[in-house]
Every structure is written in structure tokens, then in C-alpha cells.
Amino acid sequence: MMASSSLFQGSPFTFKCKRSGSYPPPKSNALPNHLNIKAQSKPESPITHNNSVPPHSKQRRPADENIREEARRINVDHRHQFSAKYVPFNADPSSTESYSLDEIVYRSRSGGLLDVQHDMEALKKYDGGYWRNLFDSRVGKTTWPYGSGVWSKKEWVLPEIDSDDIVSAFEGNSNLFWAERFGKKYLGMNDLWVKHCGISHTGSFKDLGMTVLVSQVNRLRKMERPVVGVGCASTGDTSAALSAYCASAGIPSIVFLPANRISIAQLVQPIANGAFVLSIDTDFDGCMHLIREVTAELPIYLANSLNSLRLEGQKTAAIEILQQFDWEVPDWVIVPGGNLGNIYAFYKGFRMCKDLGLVDRIPRLVCAQAANANPLYLYYKSGWKEFEPIRAKTTFASAIQIGDPVSIDRAVFALQNSDGIVEEATEEELMDAMAQADSTGMFICPHTGVALSALIKLRNSGVIKPTDRTVVVSTAHGLKFTQSKTDYHSGAIKDMACRYANPPVQVKADFGSVMDVLKKYLLSQAPKH
């Protein structure tokens, strides 16, 4: 490995720091005006407020004060009761290894993954009803930072960060779409839902994790920790989220992209947001290897899902699903899988809700992979005997074109503890599923096509019943993948039948020709009795 230059001598990834400040327990049980909720037979509220004006008479903030300043004025110290730390992932209960979240560390001493562990005993001082009411009270507000679907669960995400350090675009709160026509027409299902996480600031679920990571970097820089910028390897969506949030905070971002392997719509986002973009002649796994080497030598903070802070934001999508069902648990949740952090994040969100009494069970999870990049599927089919990385082949689901996923152990843990399943989809299956979904009013990405293909297979085999409430997680906006959709509907994809293609009809610019074409079309659409 290249030696550090004198400018960066002293690795920024080995120091330890004590938690800054101490926060005594609150003396008041008053909530902020917009959170005026009482815990049910539990101790006083973890949130305090210095204003006793009742909610219905709350006055508008002064015209010269913004929402961040308002939060600074209103919110008395609310970080005192809850804490979180890094611990080795799935460590032996006897392990004492842990790190402050203010340390810059990505691996345990043994080289394994880390996990963010919350002080569950402190959280359990408040019952499930309290947490449900608190989270529900924040939905749809512009109060800083709770207007975000992520930061509305701040106590469960990054409890010790000052709200003034948070970098947020009010991400999350994404649409849980009732896929009524798709479910009825193709699956005979009445309770099928698509969680559109791609309806977000940069068009993908990656915003949920990046707001947490960049907020923590913002905090570290204010603490004068040696962090010059933030870097990631990406197949598109991670780089878009990283560059946008770093641009918002004025933090330099560095992006490693595999050359000629992502869509123009994905490439332009980090460029437009001012990131320093390196186009590298390798695949994602190669970029990931390089960024890990670079961040070990330079004061660049690693933003890939190896960093467990990202998963803290992503897990809030699971909590949000429960909220949107009025805290009823779906039977199945299907998640596309590439680097495999997201399937664990969903498990973690559901599991926290169960452990803290918000719900009484967790759904069964399905991880869906493209057949051209399916190391988890092969591992699952072997009975979890031995994991073998693969060389991922090209897939239209480019964001999950990963053959050596960083979070393989996390994914296996999530699946084994949720009675989970892994399924795969061929290129033709995922593109057909995407076209079918689009024809019923959606406009999804190929990765969602992978998840829908898994659903179709599990429904056809009878594993998923027609009455099962099922949620498919859509990870990115379809507008990022218009070229693949164009190629499909024009029949330009080699060796693919494109059975659901809907190309435009060429017609002469005269009334008679147009009428002939329209009559033929309308006859084909007439109800058949």
C-alpha cells in the first residue's frame, strides 16, 4: 500500500475520542408544542421545551428567523438520554469492543463489519405507544429536522448529534403506492404495495442513509477531526446522494465510477453537484477496492455501505412502512439486493420496532437479485454452505451489478432471522416485469423489476398467497433508466422478445390515415363479452 505523505501522517482512522459533553436527565416532561404527547405509564419525555404555549395557539416564528434557528431556540438539550456506538457486527455477547460514533473506523479489530448499537435499555423506558405517537406527530411537519422521514426518528438514528449539525433535504416520507391494477391483473392480489423510495431528493433510497453519514461528517469537521472530504465507489445512485448532501453542507465529495457502466442520467448528477468524479476502467468491485485503499491513506471519509452509519438512515424506510399501515405489519417485504446493506437495514428497522414494543412481529423478507449478479442467491441455494464471490455480468439493474457484496454477512443474518428467501430474475424477466408495472401506472427502475420478478415467481409457486399483504421496495426513480426503457419498447435489445413493448405507431399526417389507425386500436381495446 502507498505510504502516507507527510501532509497526512498519522492515520485519521485510529484515534479515539471521548463523547463530547454530558447531558443530565431532563427536569421537565414537556414536549415541544408540535410534539405534545404523553408517554403511557412511562417516565418523563426525552424531549424538553422552553415554551408552554399550547399547540392550538402556537405563534408563527419571526419573519427573520429560519427553521434551523427556530429549532435552536425552542429545543432545549434533547440528546441527554439516548446514545449509540459502533460494535462488531453480530459479536459474541461477551465482547467489550466498541467505538464512539465520533471515531473514524469502518472495521472491527478482527477485520469484520461494524454495527451501530443503540442503548436499548434507555429507549425501552418509553413504551411502544409513546414511540408510535411521537413518530406520527412529526409526519408532514416542516419543523427542523423532523420534517425528514429519517430525522423524525432521530432518537433511533443518531441520537447524540446536535440538530444544528444535521444536513437534510427532508428526505423520506416516500409514497407507499397501492399497486391495485398490477396486483389484480398479473398476480390475483388485492393487497400489493410498492414503497417508492426512489421518490426522493436525488431519486433513490440512498438519500436515506446519506443524510445520516454526511450529517456525522459535518459534526466531525466542526469538531476539527481530520476529514477533508467524503468519498465513495458507486454505480450511480450512491454518488448522486453523496454529492448532493455534501454540496448542501459545503463538504468536498470524491466519486469513483466504473467507466461506461452507468446511465448518463446517473453520471450527470454528481457532476452537476460539483463532485470530483473519477471514471475508472473497472467494475464496481474494482472501484470499491480502490476507494477502501485510498480512504486508508488520505483523510477522506468512506461513504459506502461498509460504513454502518448509512444503514441507520435506510432502516427508517421499514419504520415508515409500519407507520403508513397504521402500525400493522405486512406479511412480506421484497428488497432488491446488490451490496446487500439495504436488506439488513430493513430487518434492523423492523426488529427495533418489535423489540421496543411498537409491533408484535416482523415481516418475512425476500432479497431479490439479478441472475447476472447473484452471489447471495447461489449461497442461499447451497443451504448457506459456503459463500463464493462471483464476477458479476452486465445487467440492466446496474446498481446491483455486484459480485462481491460488502454486507454479505449482514444480509444472511437478516434473512435467517426473518424466515427469509432469496430469489433471482433473468434480464428478460426483470425487463418484462418493469414493462408490466409501467403499463399499470408505475414508472419503475430495473431493480424494482427484479423485485417484482421475485414476487411473480413466489406468487406462482404458492409461497406468497393471494391474500398476503406484500410490499415491494422500489429503490430508484425510473427516469434514471430511460435508455433501457427506450431500448425495450423499440425492440432493440438483442435476444429479448420484449413481449410487453409498446412502440409508437408511425402514421401519415392526414385525417383518413389517423382515423384508420385509431379505429383499429379502439376495436382492439373494446370489451370482449
Side-chain angles (χ1 to χ4, degrees):
M1 182 177 289
M2 180 181 66
S4 301
S5 68
S6 59
L7 177 63
F8 301 124
Q9 282 182 350
S11 171
F13 306 107
T14 56
F15 64 81
K16 295 185 178 181
C17 65
K18 295 181 179 178
R19 184 174 300 138
S20 60
S22 60
Y23 307 109
K27 296 180 180 179
S28 168
N29 65 350
L31 283 167
N33 290 334
H34 61 290
L35 306 178
N36 195 10
I37 299 162
K38 293 181 180 178
Q40 300 173 4
S41 304
K42 290 291 175 178
E44 56 196 28
S45 164
I47 313 294
T48 58
H49 195 300
N50 62 358
N51 188 340
S52 59
V53 180
H56 65 272
S57 61
K58 180 181 177 184
Q59 295 180 353
R60 182 173 176 177
R61 70 176 183 275
D64 61 349
E65 182 180 63
N66 64 41
I67 59 173
R68 193 189 292 270
E69 292 165 339
E70 179 187 43
R72 194 183 303 143
R73 170 173 59 84
I74 290 177
N75 291 333
V76 181
D77 222 20
H78 59 272
R79 297 165 290 156
H80 37 63
Q81 282 189 271
F82 308 118
S83 63
K85 59 187 177 182
Y86 293 122
V87 297
F89 170 73
N90 200 22
D92 187 276
S94 63
S95 172
T96 59
E97 182 181 356
S98 67
Y99 307 89
S100 164
L101 297 188
D102 293 334
E103 294 186 57
I104 302 175
V105 57
Y106 311 115
R107 292 279 192 180
S108 68
R109 285 195 290 265
S110 66
L113 297 169
L114 293 173
D115 198 17
V116 175
Q117 182 184 84
H118 290 262
D119 182 350
M120 295 295 284
E121 292 307 309
L123 293 170
K124 285 178 180 178
K125 290 178 181 178
Y126 304 90
D127 65 13
Y130 171 82
W131 290 116
R132 288 194 299 266
N133 290 336
L134 179 63
F135 294 160
D136 286 347
S137 74
R138 292 168 170 171
V139 174
K141 304 295 191 298
T142 57
T143 308
W144 184 264
Y146 304 127
S148 160
V150 173
W151 296 108
S152 64
K153 288 87 175 170
K154 180 177 183 288
E155 296 81 6
W156 292 21
V157 174
L158 210 59
E160 293 170 275
I161 194 170
D162 192 302
S163 293
D164 206 42
D165 294 338
I166 289 173
V167 183
S168 173
F170 279 10
E171 52 289 308
N173 296 321
S174 57
N175 180 21
L176 185 61
F177 176 84
W178 181 30
E180 179 184 15
R181 186 160 175 252
F182 183 89
K184 180 179 179 180
K185 182 175 181 179
Y186 295 110
L187 297 166
M189 297 181 73
N190 190 49
D191 213 356
L192 175 62
W193 302 79
V194 177
K195 179 63 170 168
H196 280 297
C197 293
I199 302 177
S200 190
H201 181 55
T202 70
S204 87
F205 78 96
K206 300 294 177 70
D207 294 346
L208 302 178
M210 207 57 74
T211 180
V212 178
L213 184 140
V214 175
S215 294
Q216 179 64 8
V217 170
N218 195 38
R219 169 182 164 89
L220 293 174
R221 284 163 62 91
K222 288 184 178 182
M223 295 169 67
E224 299 185 350
R225 298 289 187 260
V227 179
V228 174
V230 190
C232 74
S234 178
T235 50
D237 292 332
T238 301
S239 64
L242 174 65
S243 61
Y245 283 87
C246 281
S248 179
I251 299 172
S253 58
I254 300 97
V255 172
F256 288 16
L257 294 176
N260 304 315
R261 287 176 170 86
I262 68 171
S263 72
I264 294 296
Q266 291 172 298
L267 173 62
V268 75
Q269 287 184 282
I271 291 173
N273 285 134
F276 186 67
V277 179
L278 283 70
S279 181
I280 302 174
D281 187 21
T282 184
D283 58 10
F284 171 82
D285 294 320
C287 288
M288 187 68 214
H289 178 76
L290 286 169
I291 194 71
R292 287 172 64 179
E293 288 190 315
V294 166
T295 53
E297 294 292 325
L298 301 177
I300 298 170
Y301 195 83
L302 180 64
N304 283 98
S305 58
L306 175 66
N307 189 317
S308 50
L309 282 177
R310 286 258 310 272
L311 306 185
E312 292 305 291
Q314 290 166 211
K315 79 183 181 190
T316 63
I319 306 169
E320 206 169 278
I321 288 171
L322 297 176
Q323 271 187 291
Q324 290 168 310
F325 283 134
D326 198 20
W327 303 101
E328 294 179 354
V329 182
D331 299 299
W332 298 88
V333 175
I334 305 175
V335 185
N339 223 10
L340 302 180
N342 212 23
I343 189 73
Y344 177 67
F346 271 83
Y347 169 78
K348 191 173 186 182
F350 287 128
R351 185 59 188 262
M352 280 191 76
C353 286
K354 180 178 182 293
D355 289 348
L356 291 170
L358 285 75
V359 296
D360 60 0
R361 64 185 180 90
I362 66 173
R364 293 186 68 182
L365 298 179
V366 177
C367 189
Q369 291 208 295
N372 281 2
N374 64 348
L376 179 66
Y377 175 77
L378 296 175
Y379 190 21
Y380 170 77
K381 295 299 285 186
S382 74
W384 306 120
K385 290 181 181 177
E386 186 174 355
F387 175 72
E388 291 287 346
I390 66 169
R391 179 80 178 211
K393 301 175 186 176
T394 301
T395 172
F396 284 103
S398 56
I400 58 175
Q401 186 179 318
I402 297 168
D404 190 10
V406 167
S407 292
I408 180 66
D409 293 337
R410 292 170 174 152
V412 173
F413 182 88
L415 291 162
Q416 290 181 338
N417 285 277
S418 64
D419 194 17
I421 294 173
V422 187
E423 190 52 87
E424 67 173 356
T426 67
E427 294 302 289
E428 187 154 11
E429 287 170 342
L430 72 90
M431 292 297 286
D432 281 348
M434 181 173 69
Q436 289 173 299
D438 289 353
S439 73
T440 62
M442 289 183 268
F443 194 71
I444 62 168
C445 64
H447 318 88
T448 312
V450 174
L452 287 174
S453 295
L455 168 61
I456 291 168
K457 289 182 176 182
L458 293 171
R459 179 70 195 89
N460 289 341
S461 65
V463 174
I464 293 180
K465 304 296 189 293
T467 55
D468 286 351
R469 174 174 286 178
T470 303
V471 179
V472 170
V473 176
S474 180
T475 55
H477 201 291
L479 285 173
K480 291 190 175 190
F481 301 92
T482 52
Q483 188 59 56
S484 64
K485 291 176 182 287
T486 300
D487 291 344
Y488 181 92
H489 287 288
S490 62
I493 302 175
K494 186 179 179 182
D495 299 325
M496 189 176 292
C498 303
R499 291 184 296 154
Y500 302 96
N502 182 34
V505 177
Q506 299 293 324
V507 60
K508 293 179 181 179
D510 66 77
F511 179 76
S513 298
V514 170
M515 286 296 288
D516 288 343
V517 168
L518 284 176
K519 287 178 180 178
K520 184 177 179 181
Y521 169 73
L522 293 174
L523 283 171
S524 71
Q525 298 300 306
K528 298 175 176 62
H529 299 290

